Amino acid sequence: QIQLVESGGGSVQAGGSLKLSCATSPNTFNGGCMGWFRQVPGKAREGVAGIYSAGTGATSYADSVKGRFTISQDNAKATIYLQMNSLKPDDTAMYYCAYGRTRECARWTYYSYWGHGTQVTVSS
């Protein structure tokens, strides 16, 4: 059973920063991809960033967040992070942590385990 618990959401003004965390069990870091997705009401969930939990920790990003968001992991804590800088109102969404049994972290449809989400609100 894979459990993913997000934290760190909140409200911030445009241009500000937030850091999300997702804690899981150490077994989850034995391989596969950990990732962050976001969803706004009425729209499909979209992949934001992914990281291969074993080996080199290779990362993937959606074009909309490249250069602003950084995904990272702490193997000792079995936790991944999403550092979000230069936030825009369009970044407002529910953010979900996810896990997929795949090496291709940008294949967003390969993620099949989800956390409950944490809300991020960016005001203009």
Side-chain angles (χ1 to χ4, degrees), residues 4-5 14-16 18 24 30 33 37 39-40 59 63 70-71 89 96 98-99 102 112 114-115 121:
L4 305 165
V5 181
L18 281 173
T24 186
N30 287 337
C33 293
F37 289 69
Q39 187 172 24
V40 297
T59 58
D63 288 342
T70 302
I71 189 171
Y96 296 89
Y99 172 78
T102 178
S112 53
W114 303 91
T121 302

Side-chain angles (χ1 to χ4, degrees), residues 37-41 45 91-96 116-120:
F37 289 69
R38 64 187 182 187
Q39 187 172 24
V40 297
R45 192 174 296 185
D91 295 318
T92 296
M94 184 70 79
Y95 282 71
Y96 296 89
H116 292 296
T118 185
Q119 178 68 35
V120 171

